[in-house]
Amino acid sequence: MEIIKPSTIAGVMELLPDEQKVLDEMKTTIEETFKDYGFSSIDTPVIEKNEVLFAKGGGETEKQIFEIASDSKDMSLRFDLTVPLARYVSEHFSELNFPFKRYQVGKVYRGERNQKGRYKEFYQADIDIIGHNELSIYNDALLARVIFEAFKKIDFPNVTFHINNRKLLNGFFKSLEIEDSTEVLRTIDKKDKIGLDKTKSLLNDIIGEEKSSKTIEFINADLSNSETLENLDGLANTDSYNKGLEELKTVYDYMVKFGVSDKNIKIDLSITRGLDYYTSTVYETFIDGYESIGSVCSGGRYENLASNFTKQKLPGVGMSIGLTRLFYQLKELGLIEDKKKSEVDIFILPMDSKFNFYAIDVLKRLKEEGKQADIYLEKGKFKKKLNYADKINANYVVIIGEDEVSKNEVSIKNMETGEQFNKSIDNLDFGN
Amino acid sequence: MEIIKPSTIAGVMELLPDEQKVLDEMKTTIEETFKDYGFSSIDTPVIEKNEVLFAKGGGETEKQIFEIASDSKDMSLRFDLTVPLARYVSEHFSELNFPFKRYQVGKVYRGERNQKGRYKEFYQADIDIIGHNELSIYNDALLARVIFEAFKKIDFPNVTFHINNRKLLNGFFKSLEIEDSTEVLRTIDKKDKIGLDKTKSLLNDIIGEEKSSKTIEFINADLSNSETLENLDGLANTDSYNKGLEELKTVYDYMVKFGVSDKNIKIDLSITRGLDYYTSTVYETFIDGYESIGSVCSGGRYENLASNFTKQKLPGVGMSIGLTRLFYQLKELGLIEDKKKSEVDIFILPMDSKFNFYAIDVLKRLKEEGKQADIYLEKGKFKKKLNYADKINANYVVIIGEDEVSKNEVSIKNMETGEQFNKSIDNLDFGN
């Protein structure tokens, strides 16, 4: 028979079981945290209609899409979880309760060019709160609290939320009489990549030196949060600016109240998050000490989630963790290694198949106690069996041979300490 | 703006949050059960290379595939989790420990014609145990135990495993001097659909009346398991028959030993499970009283998992739950309704936004105790707020108004009984 080389397509993350376990646990913990705050799970299909995916117009995204081959060329794989959310909320509008709080952790697809750390298939973990007609600004702080707790629970208690407000930015630019701020925002967005000097010289070209200086001064002040807020007070005086400042203050105050402490927040006026979508709060989240890997959770508030699909006004706020990319980066930094845990707690090892029934009785007793336990049923030398138990990282091996059976006992080996002790099968506790 | 009608592609299952929760919980429970027996999770990409997917030759499956549109036409969506498993085990062979026990719960894709209960995207929950060179027959019984426990934990304790052995069948046909049993097996496989009489008349045409009678008698005996086994003893005498009978006996004995009791097993000689793949044990699983929905978990033992991808001999045994289809059928039977549970345990409801900070303190206290709790932050009349709490099925509503704040209390309403009582915020237990 012809042998075909077994390989995945390029640009996907496929893990061995010990690493998969770490990723699975991160995923589960994040989901549990979302659930604990009353977010509902939804699970939309991976394939969507093209008319849904491109309702907003394709643009850059369209080039990256995985389209399903068919005569009608009318469906593709989703490239994010936000378009499906908009479609879901519109389609099921009358059956949902608003504010609608949903989470979805799922794979999305983009035809990225092959390069390290870029994936064609990757998990996103999204939470959004969608209102009908209105949604209080307090939710923007609640969301940060939920994300803060999720990171804490996956062992990253030290993260910093960089927050800003798009109304504030727009109002500021208006006060400088910059009518079209699109190009300015786009330039600011690149600041971390291109550096401050380059940003400044680009801004000089667009809006002239004076406005450029004021803009740089505005976005780059390295002040405490309270100093920044004080500084912003009265700095401009347009409706948008004042409204934005009020919102930013409220979100900051509520975040602190919700237990995201001041040191985990940075009011950062250089955060812009893309150009069209967000209309108020925007956030990026950085792991302290690992800022170089970029934002690990981003999002913001939008005026209207689903104007392409419904006439209902659906304002919302959402954040998204790029889970696959985060995992890749943590792995690169060596932060996954010590999270790899044992595959099995208790491994039962009959020395000969004639002890199998006895061993199965032991397994059943352990299962009644809710233990994680596995049994070895293959033939082979004792050493080979013990070697396997070691390789799968069993915490305890329960050895069953002639001696043990004759005494109604088992012999328990603690694989970490090497200790070995006998226990009656009627009293299978694993302390010494 | 032009409004695009929001809709999914045809033939996918998309659930509202209350039903999604039931499906999610079934999925999690099944995964937890697999893990508890030492099965490792793997998560292979949804997109695979065509050369991998069709290594065995396409056949019927190829027509159902969702291919990714591209010039090279070289990738498609997986149509099951077995081919990806074969690819995974071959690709990562040297990094895995054998026996390799893996589970995977994931979506697979088939271009089914649109009809009720048939899905283009559906979850499969697979477990397999893969050996290197050999794998003891005892694993076939262990697998049934794991599946039995999974069904018990998702509240279907009454299932029956129909088991058979392909060697036994082949050996029996050989003893009747039926050289090519393919057509005979295919006919038997249809028995439940076409009825016994039609099966018999079809068999008459293929192998003549005498052999047909013997075959029908063989597959259709309605006996107890011990009677069947007794009956089979010496009924034929070919190597394959004897080997198959020995295996079947062992699997039955071990299943009973593993705690799948005799009443949950039916040795059913009419079970054949497809034609090429399985070489020994085959199983189908039925929910007692709902046999008409068909097998809810099927599988069997195979000689060699991955002969297309590696020269290593990898015998294995596996079972698969068609989760989406199962859920659909349970829903149709009305068995999902009472499983729908509350979305949120405790819902905190400040009567005015001036009590928000007080309410957030209450939330933080409840979170410290690990409670599932959510907070309402919108403006609006009290009635509207309470109505929302009712709609999202909160168990308790914590009401915070002028009175409560002045006394450092909260008012707790049990939404099921309607009872309402006050508690100090320092003592937030939810009993009366």
Side-chain angles (χ1 to χ4, degrees):
Chain A
M1 189 182 284
E2 194 206 350
I3 299 284
I4 288 155
K5 186 172 173 277
S7 62
T8 64
I9 64 165
V12 291
M13 178 185 276
E14 180 167 271
L15 301 170
L16 288 171
D18 56 350
E19 289 187 343
Q20 186 64 51
K21 201 175 177 194
V22 181
L23 179 58
D24 284 358
E25 279 172 15
M26 281 174 64
K27 190 169 156 273
T28 305
T29 303
I30 290 169
E31 288 174 331
E32 288 299 327
T33 310
F34 294 167
K35 260 186 276 191
D36 273 354
Y37 280 86
F39 286 79
S40 302
S41 152
I42 71 168
D43 184 2
T44 62
V46 168
I47 306 176
E48 293 268 3
K49 292 180 180 173
N50 283 348
E51 62 182 45
V52 165
L53 291 177
F54 301 124
K56 239 178 215 192
E60 272 307 297
T61 329
E62 195 152 0
K63 289 182 210 154
Q64 294 202 332
I65 212 78
F66 282 106
E67 193 169 47
I68 301 292
S70 73
D71 294 340
S72 44
K73 285 181 171 295
D74 56 358
M75 13 180 218
S76 299
L77 305 189
R78 65 188 177 205
F79 54 83
D80 72 6
L81 300 175
T82 304
V83 175
L85 172 65
R87 197 263 309 142
Y88 183 97
V89 173
S90 310
E91 185 172 350
H92 306 292
F93 174 77
S94 62
E95 297 155 295
L96 300 174
N97 302 306
F98 293 89
F100 176 55
K101 303 170 86 172
R102 89 85 177 78
Y103 75 85
Q104 181 165 14
V105 182
K107 287 176 171 179
V108 303
Y109 296 84
R110 291 184 199 172
E112 298 269 2
R113 264 181 310 141
N114 293 336
Q115 55 174 309
K116 231 171 168 272
R118 284 281 169 191
Y119 293 102
K120 293 197 172 80
E121 173 188 81
F122 56 98
Y123 277 105
Q124 284 193 332
D126 278 25
I127 39 172
D128 288 81
I129 306 176
I130 317 292
H132 181 211
N133 292 325
E134 53 186 354
L135 181 76
S136 88
I137 189 78
Y138 313 125
N139 291 287
D140 303 34
L142 172 62
L143 221 53
R145 156 81 198 209
V146 178
I147 293 290
F148 190 52
E149 196 162 314
F151 274 105
K152 205 183 282 180
K153 285 189 176 154
I154 60 171
D155 290 333
F156 293 100
N158 301 314
V159 297
T160 299
F161 291 90
H162 289 229
I163 58 168
N164 196 4
N165 187 292
R166 292 287 296 268
K167 289 188 190 115
L168 180 85
L169 278 183
N170 289 336
F172 175 77
F173 293 129
K174 202 160 179 206
S175 78
L176 288 186
E177 293 176 332
I178 300 167
E179 283 313 316
D180 180 13
S181 55
T182 312
E183 201 55 38
V184 178
L185 283 169
R186 198 170 286 161
T187 309
I188 294 171
D189 202 34
K190 285 189 274 193
K191 193 195 74 175
D192 282 348
K193 270 190 204 147
I194 62 177
L196 195 64
D197 289 346
K198 180 79 180 154
T199 309
K200 193 169 179 184
S201 89
L202 284 174
L203 286 178
N204 282 350
D205 296 345
I206 308 168
I207 48 176
E209 204 158 330
E210 197 196 329
K211 291 177 185 177
S212 166
S213 285
K214 283 188 179 161
T215 301
I216 291 289
E217 199 189 327
F218 182 75
I219 63 168
N220 201 46
D222 193 17
L223 303 170
S224 72
N225 293 320
S226 56
E227 285 167 339
T228 302
L229 288 173
E230 211 172 294
N231 224 22
L232 288 173
D233 219 12
L235 192 71
N237 190 18
T238 63
D239 286 353
S240 173
Y241 183 88
N242 292 334
K243 180 72 183 152
L245 182 54
E246 189 199 322
E247 287 181 352
L248 184 61
K249 274 183 181 164
T250 304
V251 172
Y252 171 76
D253 286 347
Y254 267 72
M255 277 175 76
V256 172
K257 190 63 202 170
F258 268 118
V260 184
S261 67
D262 181 66
K263 75 176 174 54
N264 298 109
I265 307 172
K266 171 143 187 67
I267 297 177
D268 179 348
L269 304 171
S270 73
I271 297 286
T272 70
R273 294 301 311 152
L275 296 168
D276 301 325
Y277 197 56
Y278 297 115
T279 50
S280 164
T281 307
V282 284
Y283 343 62
E284 297 191 347
T285 316
F286 297 87
I287 299 176
D288 299 353
Y290 300 98
E291 287 79 3
S292 62
I293 68 177
S295 172
V296 293
C297 178
S298 308
R301 171 175 280 259
Y302 36 89
E303 289 285 280
N304 206 349
L305 173 70
S307 54
N308 302 297
F309 304 125
T310 175
K311 286 183 172 151
Q312 302 292 344
K313 196 184 166 211
L314 302 168
V317 58
M319 292 186 91
S320 175
I321 304 173
L323 196 54
T324 300
R325 201 171 148 70
L326 173 62
F327 188 83
Y328 165 80
Q329 285 159 327
L330 298 178
K331 206 175 133 174
E332 288 288 294
L333 292 167
L335 299 176
I336 297 300
E337 272 315 301
D338 17 316
K339 289 178 194 282
K340 291 186 192 170
K341 282 174 221 150
S342 81
E343 283 291 312
V344 61
D345 191 24
I346 302 166
F347 192 65
I348 303 165
L349 207 160
M351 294 185 70
D352 188 282
S353 66
K354 69 182 173 204
F355 309 126
N356 277 357
F357 275 21
Y358 188 93
I360 291 172
D361 276 333
V362 172
L363 178 74
K364 285 197 287 189
R365 282 169 195 237
L366 292 172
K367 286 296 170 189
E368 273 159 27
E369 292 169 29
K371 293 281 203 299
Q372 201 224 357
D374 185 13
I375 186 169
Y376 193 78
L377 295 168
E378 304 311 300
K379 285 178 289 184
K381 297 225 171 79
F382 181 63
K383 209 179 149 188
K384 179 185 152 198
K385 294 178 182 183
L386 208 58
N387 198 17
Y388 179 79
D390 192 43
K391 275 194 189 156
I392 63 167
N393 287 318
N395 292 326
Y396 296 94
V397 175
V398 172
I399 299 161
I400 293 165
E402 202 78 57
D403 265 18
E404 285 79 11
V405 171
S406 70
K407 293 188 210 150
N408 266 323
E409 286 184 349
V410 299
S411 175
I412 298 172
K413 189 178 165 82
N414 180 323
M415 294 297 277
E416 201 186 336
T417 64
E419 269 181 302
Q420 198 162 340
F421 47 92
N422 278 38
K423 285 277 171 185
S424 155
I425 58 165
D426 296 318
N427 177 26
L428 286 170
D429 68 297
F430 284 67
N432 197 326
Chain B
M1 189 182 285
E2 195 207 350
I3 300 283
I4 287 155
K5 186 171 173 279
S7 62
T8 64
I9 63 166
V12 290
M13 178 185 275
E14 180 167 271
L15 301 170
L16 288 170
D18 55 350
E19 290 187 341
Q20 186 65 52
K21 203 176 176 193
V22 180
L23 178 58
D24 284 357
E25 279 172 15
M26 280 174 63
K27 190 168 156 273
T28 304
T29 303
I30 291 169
E31 288 173 329
E32 288 299 327
T33 310
F34 295 166
K35 260 186 276 190
D36 273 353
Y37 280 87
F39 286 78
S40 302
S41 152
I42 71 168
D43 184 1
T44 62
V46 168
I47 307 175
E48 294 268 1
K49 291 180 181 174
N50 284 348
E51 62 182 45
V52 165
L53 291 177
F54 301 124
K56 237 175 220 199
E60 272 307 298
T61 329
E62 194 153 358
K63 290 181 209 153
Q64 294 203 332
I65 212 77
F66 282 106
E67 194 169 49
I68 300 293
S70 74
D71 295 338
S72 44
K73 286 182 171 292
D74 56 359
M75 1 180 229
S76 299
L77 305 189
R78 65 188 177 204
F79 54 83
D80 71 7
L81 300 175
T82 304
V83 175
L85 171 65
R87 197 263 309 142
Y88 182 96
V89 173
S90 311
E91 185 172 350
H92 305 293
F93 174 78
S94 62
E95 296 156 296
L96 300 174
N97 302 305
F98 293 90
F100 175 56
K101 304 170 86 172
R102 89 88 177 76
Y103 76 85
Q104 182 166 14
V105 182
K107 287 176 171 179
V108 304
Y109 296 84
R110 291 182 199 172
E112 297 269 3
R113 264 181 310 141
N114 292 337
Q115 55 174 308
K116 231 169 166 269
R118 284 282 168 189
Y119 293 102
K120 292 198 174 80
E121 174 188 80
F122 56 98
Y123 277 105
Q124 285 194 333
D126 279 23
I127 39 171
D128 289 80
I129 306 175
I130 317 292
H132 181 211
N133 292 324
E134 52 187 354
L135 182 74
S136 88
I137 190 76
Y138 313 124
N139 292 287
D140 302 34
L142 171 62
L143 221 53
R145 156 82 198 209
V146 178
I147 293 291
F148 189 53
E149 196 163 315
F151 274 105
K152 204 183 283 182
K153 286 189 174 154
I154 60 171
D155 290 333
F156 294 100
N158 300 314
V159 296
T160 300
F161 291 91
H162 290 227
I163 57 168
N164 195 3
N165 187 291
R166 292 289 295 268
K167 288 190 191 113
L168 180 84
L169 279 182
N170 290 336
F172 174 76
F173 293 129
K174 204 163 177 202
S175 78
L176 290 184
E177 293 176 334
I178 299 167
E179 282 313 317
D180 181 12
S181 56
T182 312
E183 201 54 40
V184 178
L185 283 169
R186 198 170 285 161
T187 307
I188 294 172
D189 202 34
K190 283 188 276 193
K191 192 195 74 174
D192 283 349
K193 269 190 204 149
I194 63 178
L196 195 62
D197 289 346
K198 180 81 179 149
T199 308
K200 192 168 179 184
S201 89
L202 284 174
L203 286 178
N204 281 351
D205 296 346
I206 309 169
I207 48 176
E209 205 160 327
E210 194 196 331
K211 291 177 185 175
S212 166
S213 285
K214 282 189 180 161
T215 301
I216 291 289
E217 198 191 327
F218 182 76
I219 62 168
N220 201 46
D222 193 16
L223 303 169
S224 72
N225 292 320
S226 56
E227 285 167 339
T228 302
L229 288 173
E230 212 173 294
N231 223 22
L232 289 172
D233 219 11
L235 192 70
N237 190 17
T238 63
D239 285 353
S240 173
Y241 183 88
N242 293 334
K243 180 73 183 152
L245 181 55
E246 188 199 322
E247 287 181 353
L248 184 62
K249 273 182 181 164
T250 304
V251 172
Y252 170 76
D253 286 347
Y254 267 73
M255 276 176 76
V256 172
K257 190 64 201 171
F258 267 118
V260 184
S261 65
D262 180 65
K263 74 176 174 54
N264 298 108
I265 306 171
K266 170 143 187 66
I267 298 178
D268 179 349
L269 304 173
S270 74
I271 297 286
T272 70
R273 295 301 311 151
L275 295 170
D276 301 325
Y277 197 56
Y278 298 116
T279 50
S280 164
T281 307
V282 284
Y283 344 61
E284 296 191 346
T285 315
F286 297 88
I287 299 176
D288 298 352
Y290 299 99
E291 286 78 3
S292 64
I293 68 176
S295 173
V296 294
C297 178
S298 308
R301 171 177 279 259
Y302 36 89
E303 291 284 278
N304 207 348
L305 174 70
S307 55
N308 302 109
F309 303 125
T310 175
K311 287 185 171 151
Q312 301 293 344
K313 196 184 166 212
L314 302 168
V317 58
M319 293 186 90
S320 175
I321 304 174
L323 196 55
T324 300
R325 202 171 147 71
L326 173 63
F327 187 83
Y328 165 80
Q329 287 160 325
L330 299 177
K331 207 176 133 175
E332 288 288 294
L333 292 167
L335 299 177
I336 297 300
E337 272 314 301
D338 17 315
K339 288 177 194 283
K340 290 184 192 170
K341 282 176 222 149
S342 81
E343 284 292 311
V344 60
D345 190 26
I346 302 166
F347 192 65
I348 302 166
L349 207 160
M351 295 185 69
D352 188 282
S353 67
K354 70 183 170 200
F355 309 125
N356 278 357
F357 275 22
Y358 188 91
I360 291 172
D361 276 335
V362 172
L363 177 75
K364 285 197 287 189
R365 281 170 196 237
L366 292 173
K367 287 295 171 190
E368 272 159 29
E369 293 169 29
K371 292 281 203 297
Q372 200 224 358
D374 186 14
I375 185 169
Y376 193 78
L377 295 167
E378 304 311 300
K379 285 177 290 186
K381 297 226 169 79
F382 182 61
K383 211 181 147 183
K384 180 186 153 196
K385 295 179 182 183
L386 208 56
N387 198 18
Y388 179 79
D390 192 41
K391 275 194 188 155
I392 63 167
N393 287 318
N395 292 325
Y396 295 95
V397 175
V398 173
I399 300 161
I400 294 165
E402 202 79 55
D403 264 21
E404 285 79 12
V405 172
S406 70
K407 294 186 209 149
N408 265 324
E409 286 184 348
V410 298
S411 174
I412 298 173
K413 189 179 166 81
N414 179 324
M415 294 296 277
E416 200 186 338
T417 64
E419 271 180 301
Q420 197 162 341
F421 47 92
N422 279 37
K423 286 277 171 185
S424 155
I425 58 164
D426 295 320
N427 177 26
L428 287 170
D429 68 297
F430 282 67
N432 198 326

